[in-house]
Amino acid sequence: MNTYPLVVSQDLVFRSKATSLQSSVSVMVYSLSGLDRLNAENVSAAMAVVEETGMSRILVTDNAGKIVYDTRETGSAVGEYAVYTEVVQALLGYDVFTCNYQGGAFRSRASSPVLFRNQVIGAVYAYEYDTEQAALLAGLQNNLLRMSAIIGVVALVLTQVLSRALTRNISQLLTAIRQVREGAYSHRAEISGKDEIAQIGHEFNSLTDRLQKTENSRRRFVSDASHELKTPLAGIRLLSDSILQTENIDLETTREFVADIGSEAERLSRITEDLLRLTRLDSGILEPPTRVDVLPVLEQVMRMMTLVAQEKQVDLTYDASGECTVMATRDEIHQVIYNLTDNAVKYSGKVGAVQVSLHRRENWVELTVADNGPGIPEADIPRIFERFYRVDKARSRAAGGTGLGLSIVSDTVCKRGGTVEAANRPEGGAVFTARWPWKGGEAQ
Ligand code: ADP
């Protein structure tokens, strides 16, 4: 940027100087052209009519190079020999022009031979010393330099600012990745801006969010599961120790204790079964769904539950309407209806009444299980489908609950694109509603 305009303008000045100086010299040569020989008198007379504009010095020599005319007033070299290369070249018959730019001035020299009948009888030499155009050029050079300096500084500052902003986000991201890799799941990358790196940072943060949530629920699940397994195991140990340590224990008490051990073992196997079912659901590997008619499954569960309900003096009734076919497996539907009805019978009122309904509502198949029990405290409703969550721990355990039934229901239904919700009935009691997307056609 700095050099190119300067070189071009210098070249332009050189060219214009060459034209003007050479044409001035030609004029002088022309005015001397009638002379057969050059001497101080006839040259001065001929040169008197020539206008020497802007020239610093003009020399005219004879054919031996002796100066016969010099425009310089102080230190005139008339009578001396001109020792300039340009003069020598001109005496050899050549037109010569040289120009250079040095020390803030253009120095231009031009010389041409003077001919008489094709013989060189002398030479004209003109010299011009120009500071005006040189000053213009120097001004241009200064301006260019100043502009370059400003552009340079701006570019430097911009580079610094941009690279710092870029590397700041990258280093933040790297630190965060290392921290999270070491297990600090609560650490987040402090990212600012909207560029691609910032977007990667935000994606990383939301990934870490999920990782933290998964890790927390995994920890909670493991601790809850161990706690659940610990209780019946402790019971079994206590009972077996009592049998072993009591001397002369009678048969009746032994039977009682062994029966208790049996029911604790049963509880253990219920919990492990539920845990296995949940692990299978978590693994994401689902059995391929078929078109299932829900009504026959409902009738089967009702037949089974009626016996349990009668034992607890609960009045269990059901009604159904519409074509209720869904894409799932028979076992899944069985599990959902069983768990919800089992809960309703377990938690229904003293004179218990449980009503199960199955209907098709537009593109959904809806199953509702309502009871007349105490219902669920409003604050607990959002958490009721969490694993091991129980409203009344003592009552749930006493009723043989594992705290996993509803989360199995929720996971099973949601995996097939359905929903489950819990609510309290205005007349008292709880109502659970499970919905599956309806799939018309022949059940398989
Ligand atoms: P549990 O094995 O303890 O029954 P669930 O996951 O099936 O575990 O249910 C979780 C909790 O929800 C129960 O402990 C109970 O407090 C509450 N619950 C479930 N069904 C009902 C219901 N029909 N009426 C009142 N509370 C219920």
Side-chain angles (χ1 to χ4, degrees):
M1 261 185 68
N2 259 311
T3 342
Y4 183 71
L6 276 183
V7 170
V8 170
S9 10
Q10 242 179 42
D11 201 39
L12 276 174
V13 174
F14 285 170
R15 259 187 247 172
S16 81
K17 291 255 177 253
T19 332
S20 73
L21 215 62
Q22 273 170 339
S23 66
S24 302
V25 170
S26 305
V27 170
M28 291 177 218
V29 169
Y30 180 74
S31 65
L32 297 172
S33 60
L35 307 172
D36 60 347
R37 172 174 83 77
L38 304 179
N39 58 37
E41 292 76 39
N42 61 9
V43 170
S44 299
M47 292 299 281
V49 293
V50 180
E51 254 185 68
E52 311 148 2
T53 40
M55 228 57 76
S56 311
R57 192 176 185 189
I58 295 166
L59 292 179
V60 179
T61 69
D62 63 9
N63 60 351
K66 197 167 159 198
I67 297 167
V68 290
Y69 177 79
D70 187 356
T71 51
R72 197 197 269 167
E73 278 161 18
T74 47
S76 166
V78 174
E80 291 171 20
Y81 283 94
V83 282
Y84 306 113
T85 0
E86 291 82 3
V87 175
V88 176
Q89 291 285 317
L91 289 176
L92 289 172
Y94 299 107
D95 288 320
V96 188
F97 173 77
T98 57
C99 182
N100 64 2
Y101 174 67
Q102 213 180 23
F106 281 102
R107 292 161 215 266
S108 325
R109 298 169 183 91
S111 70
S112 290
V114 183
L115 302 172
F116 182 75
R117 290 188 185 150
N118 279 339
Q119 288 293 311
V120 177
I121 53 160
V124 174
Y125 167 89
Y127 170 71
E128 191 200 72
Y129 180 83
D130 180 5
T131 48
E132 229 171 79
Q133 297 214 40
L136 279 176
L137 209 67
L140 178 71
Q141 193 172 11
N142 276 343
N143 283 343
L144 279 175
L145 260 178
R146 227 169 283 149
M147 269 161 63
S148 309
I150 292 169
I151 291 171
V153 169
V154 170
L156 209 72
V157 170
L158 266 178
T159 317
Q160 282 288 322
V161 170
L162 285 178
S163 68
R164 207 166 287 175
L166 209 72
T167 49
R168 197 190 79 90
N169 276 350
I170 292 176
S171 62
Q172 281 278 353
L173 196 59
L174 271 179
T175 319
I177 290 172
R178 284 191 195 119
Q179 296 262 1
V180 172
R181 190 191 59 201
E182 297 300 321
Y185 294 112
S186 56
H187 188 87
R188 295 288 176 275
E190 281 172 32
I191 298 286
S192 55
K194 281 182 181 159
D195 57 8
E196 279 77 5
I197 301 286
Q199 279 175 26
I200 295 176
H202 295 310
E203 287 299 323
F204 171 78
N205 281 346
S206 56
L207 193 72
T208 317
D209 274 345
R210 277 200 66 179
L211 209 62
Q212 191 180 17
K213 267 190 209 130
T214 315
E215 181 62 16
N216 284 348
S217 68
R218 191 186 67 84
R219 281 194 192 143
R220 206 172 55 228
F221 183 66
V222 170
S223 99
D224 287 351
S226 352
H227 184 74
E228 285 303 319
L229 294 171
K230 217 170 72 186
T231 324
L233 279 174
I236 291 172
R237 242 189 104 186
L238 198 79
L239 288 163
S240 56
D241 278 357
S242 312
I243 297 170
L244 287 175
Q245 280 161 17
T246 317
E247 279 179 30
N248 304 327
I249 186 164
D250 61 276
L251 196 64
E252 184 104 354
T253 325
T254 316
R255 271 178 190 282
E256 228 173 77
F257 280 14
V258 173
D260 285 348
I261 289 176
S263 71
E264 290 296 336
E266 211 176 285
R267 206 151 97 85
L268 267 180
S269 77
R270 262 202 313 275
I271 297 172
T272 42
E273 251 171 51
D274 280 357
L275 282 175
L276 278 174
R277 202 162 280 135
L278 276 173
T279 319
R280 263 200 302 275
L281 282 168
D282 278 350
S283 72
I285 304 162
L286 291 175
E287 263 186 58
T290 53
R291 198 175 286 123
V292 181
D293 188 355
V294 185
L295 186 58
V297 189
L298 173 70
E299 284 166 346
Q300 191 193 352
V301 178
M302 288 302 116
R303 276 195 297 278
M304 203 167 89
M305 286 307 296
T306 311
L307 299 172
V308 185
Q310 272 169 3
E311 227 171 77
K312 293 194 174 173
Q313 290 172 339
V314 173
D315 179 25
L316 176 64
T317 50
Y318 74 94
D319 63 284
S321 71
E323 184 208 22
C324 299
T325 43
V326 299
M327 287 303 282
T329 66
R330 229 187 123 84
D331 280 353
E332 284 170 17
I333 305 287
H334 188 281
Q335 184 77 51
V336 172
I337 305 175
Y338 176 83
N339 281 11
L340 291 179
T341 318
D342 185 45
N343 272 352
V345 171
K346 260 193 312 199
Y347 301 108
S348 61
K350 260 200 178 145
V351 186
V354 173
Q355 174 67 36
V356 183
S357 310
L358 176 69
H359 298 288
R360 203 186 110 198
R361 308 229 184 267
E362 292 179 357
N363 282 330
W364 294 93
V365 170
E366 191 180 272
L367 173 87
T368 55
V369 181
D371 62 61
N372 66 343
I376 308 152
E378 286 299 323
D380 292 308
I381 288 182
R383 300 195 60 191
I384 204 106
F385 294 102
E386 284 177 20
R387 291 167 188 194
F388 296 113
Y389 191 81
R390 292 156 160 143
V391 177
D392 181 346
K393 287 192 180 19
R395 195 175 160 201
S396 159
R397 282 219 181 87
T402 60
L404 294 171
L406 283 182
S407 52
I408 292 175
V409 168
S410 156
D411 284 9
T412 312
V413 176
C414 293
K415 288 266 153 80
R416 298 295 183 196
T419 59
V420 191
E421 56 198 49
N424 284 315
R425 298 164 74 203
E427 59 269 42
V431 56
F432 285 82
T433 310
R435 285 188 197 91
W436 288 269
W438 171 70
K439 184 82 182 171
E442 275 288 295
Q444 286 161 9

